[in-house]
Amino acid sequence: MTELLVKNACVIDPLSGINGEVMDLAIRDGKIVEEVSDAAEVVDAHGMLTMPGGIDSHTHICGTKVNFGRYMSPEDMRAGRTPRRGAMHATSGYSVPTTYGNSYRYSVMGYTTLLEGAMAPLEARHTHEEFSYTPLQDTMANTLFDGNWGILEAIRDGDTKRVAAIIAWTLSAVKGFGVKLTNPGGTEAWQWGKNVTCIRDPVPYFEVTPAEIIRSVVEANELLHLPHSVHLHCNNLGTPGNYTCTLGSFGLIPDLNKKRQTLYATHVQFHAYGGSGWKDFCSKSEPIANFVNMRPQIVMDMGQVMFGRTTTMTADGPMEFNLYRLHHDKWSNHDVELETGSGIIPVVYRRKNLVNSIMWAIGLELALLTKSPWQCLLTTDNPNGAPFVKYPEIIALLMSKRYRDAEFATIHPDTGSRVPLPAIERELDWHEIAVMTRAGAARALGIQDLGKGHLAPGADADVAIYPLKIDEVDPSAEYQRVIDGFSRTEYTIKRGRVVARRGECLVDGSNATFWVAPKVSEAYDMGKDPDFIEKFDRYYTVRMRNYPVQDEYLTRSRCIETEADL
Amino acid sequence: MIVKDAVCPFCGCLCDDIEVEVEGNRVVAVTNACELGMTKFMGEKRLKNPILRVENEWKDITYDEAIRYAADMLLSAERPLLYGWSGTHGEAQCVGVHMAELIHGVIDNTSSVCHGPSILAIQEVGHPGCTLGVVKNRADLVIYWGSNPIDAHPRHLSRYTRYAEGFFLENAFRDRKVIVVDVRKTETANIADEFVQIKPGGDYAVLSALRAIVQGKTDTIPRTVAGVTREQLIRVANLCKSAKFGAVYFGLGLTMTQGKYKNIRNAIEFISELNRHTKFTISAMRGHYNVYGSNEVNTWMTGYPFGIDFSRGIAFYNPGETTAVDILARKECDAALIVGSDPAAHFPRKCLEHLAEIPVVQLDPYPNATTAFCNVQIPVAVTGIDAEGTAYRMDGVPIRTRRVLSTDYLSDEEVLSRMYALMQEEPRP
């Protein structure tokens, strides 16, 4: 039995309704408990801001395309190198750090749970292997279904239950957590070098539209009672005028779940563009935020862009090729048979560039114009908008109008006429930041009942203690203190153990991977479906028996079983 | 007993449809595998236990003694080299990286003498690729460039290209064209629809000519380029542009000939250009069954695919300086651990002369040319035959190999983990 007592913590725990109360947190065997014995080890938080461990609801940290981002970028590796020290292994990389690099840097920022945003089922084993070398965070992987042949055929046949059955079989086989649609239909079209422009274009050969894919997969997701909703990367990313496509996609979504949203729309900044071309490119954050304000069934994340160098990587292969033609740097692409694809290119977002400046503003506007922080979570779609180490700066920008104005003065001078940002006075408070970085993420992912994102008794003892005394810091004026405070915890506690202290990671972690196994009836078990098996054997290049991820790959497995309506 | 869907641990095709018949813990028959794979499954003469060279005699020693020897050798070395890794599973490769980091050594894998140039090119211009099944189901044009799959990857043609059934091809054999580009007429060239014979060293020029034609600069092309006629170049470029889905597979005939990584860079840029007209991909024909896996493991753990030098504490990468051949040729290295490879059969003489002078420990199931250079050889289980583990196919798809026999041999991972545990006991600065 191990016990820990965090004394005098100034706690903000939105899911428990605690907002700035100075209190003690008792921890036993990795869980929050009512009280501990006198023998407990004591950590004195002396009034410092204490929150549940951070949860990144959308990041790219492990798996085939992330690793290829490293593989093709020795220049990025040189940009962040640390030697082996104490319990810490050597790390490399800035925008795509090594697995240890990701794990340590997130931990030092108080993050304890990470959702990898896109895993190709065929290559899932790779993601899980990297998860086991990301020791300080619990992990989960959204699984790509955007170009899945079985699903496209079932949708064409109007059989939503079969769509659900294929999702159920695949998630269990590859130990995935949620359903990801990236440019639905577009990734399949890209395997012929084509794309879909928005939600009404038919996908070549399969003759279904993105709208049909989105609607059907959303319904299937609810039939399976998955903890998380469908996680959608809309069609037409990054194109001027694409906000209408985004609104059209959002409009497809009914409210199907009382506990959480029905749709998680990811990196919406990249989907909130006005104009008819790059010359009249402008922000359309207002109509997007207004729409979301009226639709409780939608949660989005910002996809904030921050200036500097990064690497973009997404399953949206055609988008990456278009971006490559703009940037002329280097381009990698990786199509995955019967399932999906991906693309990678390095980019630099520049203050002097008008489009980049507008993109920077849009992410902030989405967060500031969305009334409820539960509906707009803080991400950069790491590393697409920026590496996650920029989160403290984003927090400060959201909390300080003065900081925003100071930054605004440094960007392209024409930005002001294209974006509403300068007119927005709102400054978020500590509680809203806590929602956007942990409580809201836990609710959106459906993991609060599994003990994530809050500090009530029974919760996992994942705690971040920041060297910030919230009654002594005026975030509106002292934004640098906010940045410094969120950049380096005083203590990060993971499952009841102090894993990081003032920038130093102290122990090797014991992370867990969350995945789902929906229970379906015999008739919907795709493992026994003759047509599914025959097609698998004929068109995949891996045998069906060799496809599922073996238990050996999950060091600590947290399986979530659901009862499907199938 | 018949083990179905076994995974062949020979080449980068990583065929996973092998049937292995086992009787009395011995493989008696193998179905579906090619000749290379079958020979591997049927086994060779293996060492029974670790051996130590004492003067010019081999002495049997225990695993504990061998592991202690290796740990001490690495701990007392100033510039240890940990080389090989393409013939073992990912879990062992991970231990290798941790070990190199701990002792400030250099870890390099066999890609530094095969597809290293391909990696350098990818680091300059990227890589438009795909999994093998995408080619199987879609490609109506396949180009083998400087590679000869009939000899080196015998089932590549039947599983993924020439003879493979494809979802989008009515009659795959008829509807799919195969072009072979090589300096000599290989077995693969014999079954091609078009054979492009290039004069040795002419790949770069031919690729440049093809790029120019695709860009519409046909007027600039001379009558012949490296022995290839203008007419044939135009025909090939047109075949590429009119394909619905094209795939290039290249081998050491492109990476290790004159121009080296610049050849690959040119080839990738040719493919990027073709993507403005149609869909095209390019991929390396990786040799060993898990050489790609060692690139993957090294990359997620250190940031670099091969040739990683930890002597500064951080991971440092500079191929040509931090790669095995260079370190041996400069006589820098003062101890070597060789895992799952046979450098003595492949390295330049100068390197071997140095290898013969320094302590060497080899982990390998079989005696090979490197045995003659080592002080201790530790026999291990063969991944895919008597050990399980992860391997990455040439297209990056990870597959868990199966165990078809049970033996007392320790796996590479077990041996290395024990070695690493001993090394961790030593106080470090």
Side-chain angles (χ1 to χ4, degrees), chain A residues 67 71 84 89 92 100 125-126 129 188 190-191 330-333 335 337 538-539 541 543 546 553, chain B residues 5 16 94 98 101 123 127 129 131 133 136-138 165 279 296 300 302 390 392-393 398 402:
Chain A
N67 211 33
Y71 188 97
R84 176 180 163 276
H89 290 284
S92 301
Y100 288 126
R125 213 169 269 104
H126 185 159
E129 282 206 279
E188 164 56 30
W190 174 239
Q191 296 201 5
K330 51 186 167 185
W331 166 57
S332 288
N333 179 77
D335 299 329
E337 62 207 56
R538 282 175 78 165
Y539 301 117
T541 54
R543 302 285 294 163
N546 288 326
Y553 290 90
Chain B
D5 299 330
D16 72 331
C94 290
H98 279 150
E101 183 195 279
Q123 290 175 337
H127 175 224
T131 68
K136 162 186 147 98
N137 286 311
R138 293 177 199 266
E165 191 186 355
K279 184 66 188 257
E296 293 275 6
W300 82 62
T302 74
T390 315
Y392 281 73
R393 207 165 67 179
R402 288 175 187 279

Side-chain angles (χ1 to χ4, degrees), chain A residues 41-217:
Chain A
E41 190 189 331
V42 173
V43 163
D44 191 353
H46 46 275
M48 289 192 281
L49 174 61
T50 301
M51 307 200 283
I55 300 174
D56 199 333
S57 58
H58 184 120
T59 180
H60 299 284
I61 43 151
C62 290
T64 34
K65 72 176 175 305
V66 178
N67 211 33
F68 211 83
R70 301 176 185 120
Y71 188 97
M72 66 188 267
S73 313
E75 69 281 7
D76 192 73
M77 293 305 128
R78 283 194 294 272
R81 298 193 289 206
T82 57
R84 176 180 163 276
R85 193 177 65 232
M88 294 165 80
H89 290 284
T91 74
S92 301
Y94 170 63
S95 67
V96 257
T98 53
T99 51
Y100 288 126
N102 278 322
S103 194
Y104 300 152
R105 290 172 211 177
Y106 261 121
S107 189
V108 165
M109 285 166 47
Y111 276 73
T112 51
T113 303
L114 306 173
L115 176 124
E116 162 55 48
M119 172 171 84
L122 178 64
E123 298 168 338
R125 213 169 269 104
H126 185 159
T127 307
H128 289 289
E129 282 206 279
E130 287 196 36
F131 278 170
S132 55
Y133 289 88
T134 309
L136 301 179
Q137 286 81 23
D138 289 336
T139 47
M140 51 195 89
N142 274 349
T143 310
L144 291 155
F145 289 99
D146 36 70
N148 187 296
W149 288 3
I151 286 178
L152 295 179
E153 285 180 346
I155 293 170
R156 184 171 59 193
D157 299 341
D159 190 347
T160 303
K161 286 193 165 180
R162 191 174 173 85
V163 172
I166 294 171
I167 292 173
W169 183 85
T170 310
L171 285 176
S172 300
V174 306
K175 306 204 162 31
F177 174 74
V179 174
K180 177 70 180 279
L181 294 177
T182 294
N183 185 7
T187 57
E188 164 56 30
W190 174 239
Q191 296 201 5
W192 291 121
K194 298 180 169 67
N195 197 359
V196 292
T197 58
C198 188
I199 57 174
R200 304 291 171 195
D201 290 359
V203 180
Y205 174 80
F206 292 96
E207 295 300 315
V208 296
T209 63
E212 290 167 329
I213 300 173
I214 295 167
R215 235 188 323 237
S216 180
V217 172

Side-chain angles (χ1 to χ4, degrees), chain A residues 437-471:
Chain A
T437 54
R438 43 267 288 163
R443 183 185 284 177
L445 297 178
I447 54 172
Q448 77 273 36
D449 293 345
L450 302 166
K452 293 293 174 191
H454 63 96
L455 298 171
D460 280 355
D462 296 349
V463 188
I465 302 169
Y466 296 99
L468 286 164
K469 297 203 172 166
I470 58 174
D471 45 3

Side-chain angles (χ1 to χ4, degrees), chain B residues 159-407:
Chain B
R159 272 173 67 86
Y160 311 120
T161 64
R162 174 93 272 188
Y163 308 107
E165 191 186 355
F167 184 82
F168 289 104
L169 295 128
E170 223 167 84
N171 178 334
F173 185 73
R174 192 191 61 211
D175 298 345
R176 183 180 275 146
K177 286 216 159 12
V178 174
I179 300 175
V180 169
V181 187
D182 217 318
V183 292
R184 68 180 72 85
K185 197 158 193 196
T186 59
E187 284 285 311
T188 312
N190 286 331
I191 55 115
D193 298 285
E194 178 99 31
F195 172 51
V196 183
Q197 188 159 11
I198 299 183
K199 284 188 181 158
D203 300 273
Y204 189 91
V206 170
L207 284 161
S208 298
L210 289 171
R211 276 176 74 186
I213 298 168
V214 171
Q215 285 173 353
K217 296 168 189 160
T218 312
D219 300 347
T220 62
I221 307 300
R223 211 159 46 79
T224 63
V225 178
V228 186
T229 64
R230 188 170 187 271
E231 290 68 36
Q232 190 176 26
L233 288 167
I234 293 170
R235 189 164 67 241
V236 168
N238 286 338
L239 276 172
C240 291
K241 270 174 81 173
S242 58
K244 281 168 76 180
F245 186 109
V248 176
Y249 286 103
F250 64 95
L252 300 199
L254 195 60
T255 67
M256 285 297 167
T257 52
Q258 187 183 318
K260 285 211 157 180
Y261 90 99
K262 290 290 183 191
N263 292 338
I264 315 301
R265 181 184 167 136
N266 215 1
I268 293 172
E269 291 186 298
F270 171 49
I271 300 313
S272 301
E273 188 65 42
L274 280 168
N275 273 284
R276 293 159 199 263
H277 304 274
T278 179
K279 184 66 188 257
F280 240 91
T281 65
I282 179 165
S283 303
M285 297 287 274
R286 304 306 301 269
H288 295 284
Y289 78 93
N290 197 25
V291 59
Y292 194 59
S294 68
N295 295 141
E296 293 275 6
V297 164
N298 286 344
T299 302
W300 82 62
M301 295 185 74
T302 74
Y304 306 109
F306 67 107
I308 304 128
D309 181 354
F310 281 105
S311 62
R312 299 156 176 85
I314 49 138
F316 178 81
Y317 165 78
N318 190 20
E321 180 194 346
T322 60
T323 25
V325 165
D326 308 277
I327 284 167
L328 288 167
R330 286 197 307 267
K331 302 191 183 296
E332 264 178 39
C333 158
D334 59 349
L337 175 72
I338 310 292
V339 182
S341 69
D342 186 11
H346 302 98
F347 276 15
R349 186 188 172 95
K350 207 173 163 189
C351 298
L352 300 185
E353 282 169 3
H354 186 59
L355 208 57
E357 284 173 11
I358 58 170
V360 176
V361 172
Q362 171 164 240
L363 261 68
D364 208 288
Y366 312 106
N368 56 27
T370 304
T371 307
F373 291 82
C374 67
N375 301 64
V376 166
Q377 177 160 357
I378 308 177
V380 283
V382 186
T383 309
I385 297 178
D386 40 27
E388 283 185 18
T390 315
Y392 281 73
R393 207 165 67 179
M394 59 165 71
D395 57 351
V397 172
I399 299 176
R400 187 169 185 82
T401 63
R402 288 175 187 279
R403 181 184 167 122
V404 298
L405 295 178
S406 56
T407 64

Side-chain angles (χ1 to χ4, degrees), chain A residues 230-249:
Chain A
V230 165
H231 203 103
L232 175 68
H233 158 139
C234 289
N235 302 102
N236 209 8
L237 181 147
T239 318
N242 67 5
Y243 81 106
T244 53
C245 182
T246 310
L247 291 175
S249 307

Side-chain angles (χ1 to χ4, degrees), chain B residues 24-43:
Chain B
N25 208 29
R26 209 169 58 85
V27 175
V28 292
V30 182
T31 319
N32 285 347
C34 67
E35 207 172 318
L36 301 169
M38 193 161 72
T39 311
K40 180 140 190 194
F41 273 110
M42 299 300 278

